[in-house]
Amino acid sequence: MAAGLGPLLLLLPLAAAVYEDQVGKFDWRQQYVGKLKFASLEASQGSKKLIVSTEKNVVAALNSRSGEILWRHVDKGTPEGAIDAMLIHGQDAITVSNAGRILRSWETNIGGLNWETSLDTGSFQAAGLVGLQDVVKYVAVLKKAAISLHYLSNGHQKWVEHLPESESTQYQLLYSRGTGVIHVLGIVPQSHLNILTFSVEDGEITKQIRVAAPWLKSLNGACSVVGEAVLVCVDMDTHSLYVCSLETEQEMKQIPLQSLDLEFVDGFQPRILATQPSVISASRAQFFLQLSPSHFSLLQYKHGLLSHLRDFQQAALVSFATTGEKTVAAVLTCRSELESLTCSNQTYNINLYLVETGQRLLDTTITFTLEQSGAKPQQLYIQVFLKKDDSVGYRALVQTEDHMLMFLQQPGKVVWNREESLAEVVSLEMVDLPLTGAQAELEGEFGKKADGLLGMFLKRLSSQLILLQAWTAHLWKMFYDARKPRSQIKNEINIDNLARDEFNLQKMMVMVTASGKLFGIESSSGTILWKQYLRNVRPGSSFKLMVQRTTAHFPHPPQCTLLIKDKETKMSFLYVFNPIFGKRSQVAPPVLKRPILQTLLLPIMDQDYAKVLLLIDDEYKVTAFPATKNVLRQLEEIAHSIFFYLVDAEQGKLSGFRLKKDLTTEESWEVIIPTEVQRIVTVKGKRSNEHVHSQGRVMGDRSVLYKSLNPNLLAVVTESMDTHHERTFIGIYLIDGVTGRIIHSSVQKKAKGPVHIVHSENWVVYQYWNTKARRNEFTVLELYEGTEQYNATAFSSLDRPILPQVLQQSYIFPSAISAMEATITERGITSRHLLVGLPSGAILSLPKALLDPRRPEIPTEQSREENLIPYSPDVQIHAERFINYNQTISRMRGIYTAPSGLESTCLVVAYGLDIYQTRVYPSKQFDVLKDDYDYVLISSVLFGLVFATMITKRLAQVKLLNRAWR
């Protein structure tokens, strides 16, 4: 009976809960919203929130005092969740999403959904609030072929009307000013304008005007409505403005701009920026005309006359804002004596101007400075309010090119900032922190025999004195902090006091974001210690981050190399920097004149202990970095053992190459996968820093089943081109990267992606969707040599006559997967766990033993001896296995794992829209004493034993003496 209970006990989930006082002790989470698309700042001095919607399909409210997220709603990450428009009225935020198919209303105080309604299909063009008799009651949605009006209170549709001539006319603008009508503007490019007037009450077209405009190609940006429903358009070819009343006129009036001494810049499309403070009143008669990227003019069209109010020659951004009856224009300019678009000193001014006169308001200047390596401002939002003395005060929200948000108040205080580019991390590495001064001094004792015996002895003495001094200072700090309340103890981490801790749990996280910004983040607290923006990175570029030299080679600084590849031109360049301080390295990387196809980080080093990076271009030529004489000599010696592979997914080709002594390459193998049948989805190798502790598994009969540990093995995943659910399939190929030999291939019929795969040690785990059973499944492959090893001393792909034994098994998983990774430790002794990121934002720590292909259906004596869990087709999700308890990660894209100085501990970083860092203990903390370890008890027992030993010894001596006197 006892033997039968063993496997059942193994099935019970291990408790992995967190106590309340442990929350946030070893983990942290940072939440983001992404790059702003729309933003609304409440126009009151005591306002506490900003309502934003972003390019990451997020609607959120930010605390204007601290920048923290008050509430957040994350929609689908696909184009279906894209937010097309956002309108604010009172305490409601109206959003249009999914290309105009969904209309929602949010309660801005708590983020609750007031209502949601579905709209008819059609290309979304514009949306606007509609007022009637001084009350805003409706929201209008304009699409390519129809306009619909909805009640603001419940979202119900009041009416919908089709637009005439919608096949040839592009309807792009709608306008309402509380007069009971809605104007819809459409254009037939280079022909004429259609101006439709709809009645708010029943949707009837009350007026339809056709206005000739053969010079106009589009309304967006080039046209806007100002004043009493007057359409103003700009034409670059004639250097003129055209005006037309939407209610009375039937032709456009041309106003040449030469009379105002305004000139356009060739190649720049001018824009008009107008403002309508309230939807139940007319627009302002004043508007901005943008003549060049940095030239704006404030104009006024009133009573049929165009006047020039003020010219802004070096303005980077402009914005309108209204409070009460006052409307102001905010202008952001570079504070530089030189007229330059780059703004070399990165210092900017924001000034307010009255729109009626163009006069600058006194004491309204905000001055702020961006980092020298930072980006230029890209968006400006203003929050204006009236002070008690009726003067205008304001705060400003600035978004830069690198997606940083800054909230400013007068005279230039940065209230808070948010690094929203971290919502899109694309590459991540963890680097060990440097040694302390005392540790570095101790390291310097070794390897200097030339100092002689006396010199080494004196150096050891001085090192010990430095260590004693550091220990005394540490004790004094502990004693000093013990006398303070816990809330007053500051353990601020900055770049100056960074040092490696005793167990190497604190590391530097180097993150690369899609906007081209690099971050250095301290892993134990999430503090951003440095950041660097790469200006010449274009959107859509791909990145590969490599650590060439770690902090282990004191006094040489650590070195990271980032390879940036442009998506359009395919050209690449290298950026070399210090990962601890973020400073650009003085080492000059090679100039890459050809597109790079593959990179290879070799184990050989130059004289400064930097690993050699091989770059293979599209002509199969090799560039070494660094390329010193010592490196080239080492490359010639080991060239015969350097192999690499290339993948051409479009042609379905995998090619293997070897390096010659003259640093040329030669193709050694090729595998063709027919692209008309299947396509290559991913190619996964093993991690270079992975250690395998056990080379085999002890069987129940005491024999050893040896693992097939091929470091050159590639796992190639393919997916069928036929998407029919009966014919679709997933293929897996295990290919030796040196010889091109296909070790194993298998096909999962009636399966499709997305496929997530982990390749480690002698096993491969991948997940897919079973179209027949309509469920997610895991398949695990394990490779073994058998009960005898072919070569126990060295491995060579060229000398492997026998194919390994492949064991395969599939399991049902009750959820989809967002990301998957395996834990890794310093020596590989700890059990491996799979970290599975779920769409819910949870991270499941799944023991690899649950995905063992050798799990028996019927337990035997030998399987019990091996502690094999009886086979069950289901892998259940237990909440106790969630390593992030309630700290969910929205839209998770990846999981990164790194070893620590403790064999039991693995460091984990999950990233997506949020970033989460924690530690996991797959085999529990077998090498660390527990927090509740009773030091007092064990010390008392030891002292008691010592004392008892001394007394017993004395009594024994007295007894022997008495016996001798008898």
Side-chain angles (χ1 to χ4, degrees):
M1 183 67 181
L5 283 174
L8 293 175
L9 290 173
L10 289 171
L11 286 171
L12 294 175
L14 298 174
V18 236
Y19 292 103
E20 187 178 355
D21 60 344
Q22 290 179 315
V23 172
K25 188 175 182 180
F26 302 119
D27 65 336
W28 51 264
R29 180 183 64 168
Q30 294 176 355
Q31 294 183 300
Y32 300 96
V33 295
K35 183 182 178 182
L36 296 193
K37 202 171 183 179
F38 307 101
S40 174
L41 287 68
E42 293 181 343
S44 62
Q45 188 171 6
S47 64
K48 296 182 181 180
K49 61 180 180 295
L50 321 172
I51 310 301
V52 300
S53 58
T54 71
E55 293 183 357
K56 288 292 181 183
N57 307 348
V58 174
V59 180
L62 304 179
N63 188 327
S64 61
R65 309 284 176 86
S66 62
E68 295 178 353
I69 297 175
L70 297 174
W71 55 262
R72 181 182 72 168
H73 291 285
V74 182
D75 211 333
K76 296 178 183 177
T78 59
E80 292 181 0
I83 299 168
D84 305 304
M86 184 177 77
L87 308 168
I88 302 293
H89 174 65
Q91 299 300 320
D92 295 333
I94 314 298
T95 60
V96 183
S97 56
N98 192 4
R101 290 182 177 88
I102 297 177
L103 185 66
R104 294 187 178 101
S105 173
W106 308 93
E107 207 285 324
T108 57
N109 287 321
I110 59 173
L113 182 65
N114 292 328
W115 49 261
E116 174 182 305
T117 184
S118 297
L119 306 179
D120 295 333
T121 57
S123 177
F124 174 78
Q125 299 298 325
L129 297 172
V130 177
L132 192 64
Q133 299 175 354
D134 298 334
V135 179
V136 180
K137 292 184 177 181
Y138 312 105
V139 56
V141 179
L142 175 65
K143 296 198 174 182
K144 178 177 173 58
I147 179 173
S148 59
L149 195 71
H150 302 262
Y151 290 97
L152 199 58
S153 57
N154 53 24
H156 292 167
Q157 181 176 293
K158 181 177 175 66
W159 52 258
V160 60
E161 293 293 334
H162 291 281
L163 302 173
E165 303 175 8
S166 59
E167 294 82 9
S168 59
T169 307
Q170 301 173 10
Y171 292 97
Q172 296 175 342
L173 291 180
L174 63 82
Y175 178 76
S176 172
R177 60 189 181 104
T179 57
V181 295
I182 303 171
H183 301 288
V184 175
L185 285 75
I187 179 176
V188 177
Q190 297 182 329
S191 177
H192 62 270
L193 280 171
N194 270 355
I195 303 175
L196 307 177
T197 302
F198 290 87
S199 168
V200 172
E201 287 299 330
D202 55 10
E204 182 184 353
I205 297 178
T206 59
K207 186 184 292 186
Q208 183 173 352
I209 303 175
R210 177 176 290 194
V211 180
W215 45 268
L216 192 58
K217 298 177 182 177
S218 174
L219 294 175
N220 292 328
C223 297
S224 193
V225 181
V226 302
E228 300 287 338
V230 176
L231 179 68
V232 180
C233 296
V234 60
D235 179 33
M236 181 179 175
D237 297 330
T238 60
H239 291 190
S240 303
L241 287 180
Y242 290 84
V243 296
C244 172
S245 173
L246 300 180
E247 297 176 347
T248 59
E249 298 178 9
Q250 294 191 1
E251 63 179 13
M252 301 201 81
K253 176 184 174 184
Q254 182 180 1
I255 304 176
L257 291 176
Q258 282 84 351
S259 58
L260 302 177
D261 294 330
L262 298 177
E263 294 183 359
F264 294 108
V265 174
D266 293 336
F268 180 79
Q269 182 62 42
R271 294 191 308 134
I272 291 179
L273 292 89
T275 180
Q276 185 182 12
S278 173
V279 295
I280 54 176
S281 61
S283 298
R284 291 290 182 184
Q286 300 79 22
F287 60 94
F288 274 111
L289 173 63
Q290 186 177 7
L291 301 166
S292 76
S294 62
H295 185 189
F296 293 83
S297 287
L298 183 61
L299 305 177
Q300 175 179 276
Y301 185 77
K302 205 169 187 180
H303 306 305
L305 296 175
L306 180 69
S307 55
H308 186 204
L309 299 178
R310 191 165 187 128
D311 205 36
F312 302 96
Q313 294 281 351
Q314 293 297 321
L317 296 169
V318 297
S319 178
F320 286 108
T322 301
T323 175
E325 296 297 322
K326 288 187 178 180
T327 299
V328 296
V331 181
L332 186 146
T333 57
C334 175
R335 190 182 184 184
S336 174
E337 297 178 358
L338 301 174
E339 293 189 2
S340 171
L341 292 176
T342 57
C343 197
S344 56
N345 61 359
Q346 285 289 79
T347 301
Y348 297 89
N349 282 346
I350 302 175
N351 289 292
L352 292 190
Y353 299 83
L354 274 177
V355 294
E356 289 84 359
T357 61
Q359 179 183 1
R360 187 168 75 88
L361 297 176
L362 299 177
D363 301 325
T364 61
T365 302
I366 287 180
T367 303
F368 66 98
T369 302
L370 298 175
E371 296 178 3
Q372 288 300 318
S373 63
K376 295 185 296 183
Q378 195 175 52
Q379 294 285 344
L380 175 64
Y381 304 95
I382 298 296
Q383 180 188 41
V384 184
F385 51 85
L386 291 176
K387 298 180 181 178
K388 292 180 179 179
D389 58 356
D390 206 33
S391 62
V392 176
Y394 74 107
R395 301 186 185 95
L397 179 66
V398 178
Q399 180 173 249
T400 58
E401 286 177 328
D402 57 359
H403 307 177
M404 183 180 74
L405 293 179
M406 295 179 67
F407 196 63
L408 308 159
Q409 68 180 27
Q410 296 170 277
K413 179 185 176 184
V414 179
V415 182
W416 50 262
N417 57 30
R418 291 179 60 89
E419 292 290 351
E420 291 300 335
S421 61
L422 285 170
E424 203 168 359
V425 175
V426 292
S427 188
L428 165 65
E429 287 288 343
M430 275 192 172
V431 182
D432 294 346
L433 293 178
L435 301 170
T436 61
Q439 291 170 334
E441 194 71 27
L442 201 61
E443 289 282 335
E445 296 179 17
F446 305 101
K448 295 183 180 180
K449 296 182 180 179
D451 293 343
L453 186 64
L454 182 62
M456 291 179 72
F457 174 73
L458 293 174
K459 192 159 184 69
R460 165 59 63 90
L461 212 58
S462 64
S463 299
Q464 297 296 329
L465 287 173
I466 291 172
L467 285 173
L468 181 63
Q469 184 181 3
W471 183 68
T472 308
H474 176 67
L475 285 181
W476 172 251
K477 185 178 183 301
M478 287 178 60
F479 174 73
Y480 186 71
D481 287 345
R483 299 165 59 191
K484 291 182 178 180
R486 193 170 181 178
S487 59
Q488 295 182 11
I489 299 174
K490 293 184 179 180
N491 290 319
E492 292 184 358
I493 296 170
N494 57 56
I495 208 159
D496 298 320
N497 61 13
L498 274 183
R500 193 180 307 176
D501 60 298
E502 190 177 2
F503 298 123
N504 200 13
L505 295 166
Q506 187 180 354
K507 293 178 183 279
M508 178 68 77
M509 298 183 346
V510 181
M511 291 187 174
V512 184
T513 62
S515 65
K517 195 166 188 180
L518 280 65
F519 291 89
I521 301 178
E522 195 275 324
S523 66
S524 65
S525 64
T527 307
I528 298 175
L529 298 177
W530 60 262
K531 46 196 172 186
Q532 186 76 25
Y533 178 61
L534 306 180
R535 293 175 180 268
N536 50 353
V537 175
R538 300 198 338 188
S541 299
S542 57
F543 302 86
K544 186 173 183 181
L545 183 61
M546 295 155 285
V547 182
Q548 278 191 282
R549 182 171 55 226
T550 65
T551 53
H553 305 286
F554 182 83
H556 299 287
Q559 178 176 309
C560 277
T561 300
L562 179 66
L563 176 70
I564 301 108
K565 185 175 182 179
D566 191 277
K567 185 179 181 180
E568 295 179 4
T569 64
K570 306 297 182 185
M571 296 303 293
S572 305
F573 68 94
L574 295 175
Y575 179 76
V576 186
F577 63 98
N578 184 326
I580 302 299
F581 301 105
K583 295 179 181 177
R584 187 165 189 165
S585 175
Q586 296 180 351
V587 179
V591 178
L592 306 176
K593 299 179 180 179
R594 303 290 306 176
I596 298 300
L597 301 180
Q598 181 66 287
T599 59
L600 212 60
L601 199 61
L602 301 179
I604 63 173
M605 300 181 181
D606 67 352
Q607 62 272 16
D608 294 330
Y609 303 100
K611 289 183 178 180
V612 177
L613 179 65
L614 285 189
L615 304 154
I616 298 96
D617 62 25
D618 60 346
E619 294 181 346
Y620 309 123
K621 292 181 180 178
V622 175
T623 304
F625 171 62
T628 61
K629 291 182 179 179
N630 180 31
V631 167
L632 296 177
R633 180 182 55 79
Q634 291 185 71
L635 281 175
E636 287 182 8
E637 292 175 357
I638 68 165
H640 65 278
S641 63
I642 296 178
F643 296 82
F644 62 92
Y645 69 94
L646 298 176
V647 181
D648 188 345
E650 292 181 0
Q651 299 182 10
K653 185 170 73 172
L654 286 89
S655 307
F657 294 82
R658 67 181 185 88
L659 192 66
K660 293 183 178 180
K661 286 191 175 182
D662 57 354
L663 298 187
T664 59
T665 60
E666 180 185 18
E667 186 173 348
S668 56
W669 58 268
E670 185 179 82
V671 174
I672 302 292
I673 294 174
T675 53
E676 62 274 7
V677 178
Q678 55 189 331
R679 61 185 178 90
I680 299 174
V681 177
T682 184
V683 178
K684 187 87 170 180
K686 297 179 182 178
R687 293 178 63 166
S688 58
N689 62 340
E690 183 180 78
H691 293 276
V692 181
H693 178 259
S694 174
Q695 297 211 353
R697 295 181 60 167
V698 180
M699 311 283 282
D701 58 0
R702 295 296 184 268
S703 62
V704 177
L705 185 62
Y706 290 100
K707 299 175 183 177
S708 176
L709 300 172
N710 185 349
N712 308 314
L713 195 64
L714 303 174
V716 181
V717 180
T718 63
E719 189 173 355
S720 65
M721 299 299 291
D722 192 341
T723 57
H724 190 273
H725 68 276
E726 289 290 333
R727 297 186 293 272
T728 185
F729 64 87
I730 295 291
I732 180 99
Y733 298 88
L734 301 183
I735 301 176
D736 192 300
V738 172
T739 63
R741 188 182 188 186
I742 298 178
I743 306 297
H744 174 74
S745 66
S746 65
V747 172
Q748 303 287 338
K749 294 181 179 180
K750 298 178 182 178
K752 69 175 186 178
V755 179
H756 298 274
I757 184 169
V758 173
H759 187 189
S760 178
E761 290 191 9
N762 68 320
W763 51 268
V764 176
V765 174
Y766 58 100
Q767 176 266 346
Y768 52 88
W769 173 257
N770 186 323
T771 58
K772 181 181 179 181
R774 302 184 63 81
R775 65 193 183 197
N776 291 282
E777 291 182 358
F778 277 122
T779 292
V780 56
L781 303 174
E782 287 193 0
L783 286 73
Y784 293 96
E785 288 191 26
T787 55
E788 293 184 4
Q789 273 187 299
Y790 177 74
N791 188 339
T793 56
F795 179 88
S796 173
S797 291
L798 301 172
D799 183 25
R800 288 281 144 176
I802 305 173
L803 285 175
Q805 303 172 13
V806 180
L807 304 180
Q808 180 173 335
Q809 187 59 272
S810 295
Y811 296 90
I812 302 167
F813 193 65
S815 170
I817 286 179
S818 301
M820 188 165 63
E821 189 54 88
T823 59
I824 184 170
T825 53
E826 195 169 21
R827 296 296 173 192
I829 300 172
T830 304
S831 302
R832 306 299 293 271
H833 276 209
L834 278 177
L835 300 177
V836 181
L838 306 179
S840 63
I843 305 174
L844 178 70
S845 182
L846 196 64
K848 172 60 180 63
L850 290 174
L851 299 178
D852 192 335
R854 298 181 63 250
R855 286 175 59 179
E857 292 185 17
I858 302 174
T860 63
E861 197 64 38
Q862 288 191 0
S863 67
R864 294 191 190 99
E865 191 74 23
E866 287 186 61
N867 285 332
L868 289 177
I869 305 170
Y871 176 74
S872 172
D874 296 314
V875 176
Q876 297 181 359
I877 296 178
H878 296 287
E880 310 91 65
R881 292 200 178 115
F882 291 155
I883 64 173
N884 57 336
Y885 45 105
N886 65 346
Q887 303 291 298
T888 54
I889 302 103
S890 291
R891 216 177 287 158
M892 196 184 313
R893 289 194 315 277
I895 299 174
Y896 177 87
T897 56
S900 68
L902 289 171
E903 174 55 32
S904 64
T905 307
C906 173
L907 304 178
V908 179
V909 182
Y911 55 91
L913 192 60
D914 307 328
I915 299 175
Y916 177 74
Q917 193 274 339
T918 188
R919 307 172 188 172
V920 293
Y921 317 101
S923 299
K924 298 191 176 180
Q925 288 184 285
F926 57 82
D927 50 2
V928 177
L929 292 176
K930 294 182 179 179
D931 289 342
D932 57 352
Y933 185 78
D934 200 337
Y935 294 95
V936 176
L937 176 63
I938 197 69
S939 301
S940 304
V941 170
L942 287 174
F943 279 121
L945 288 173
V946 171
F947 187 67
T949 304
M950 294 172 63
I951 293 176
T952 307
K953 183 180 179 182
R954 179 60 183 165
L955 291 175
Q957 288 176 347
V958 170
K959 184 177 180 181
L960 288 173
L961 186 62
N962 291 336
R963 186 183 294 173
W965 279 105
R966 288 178 184 170

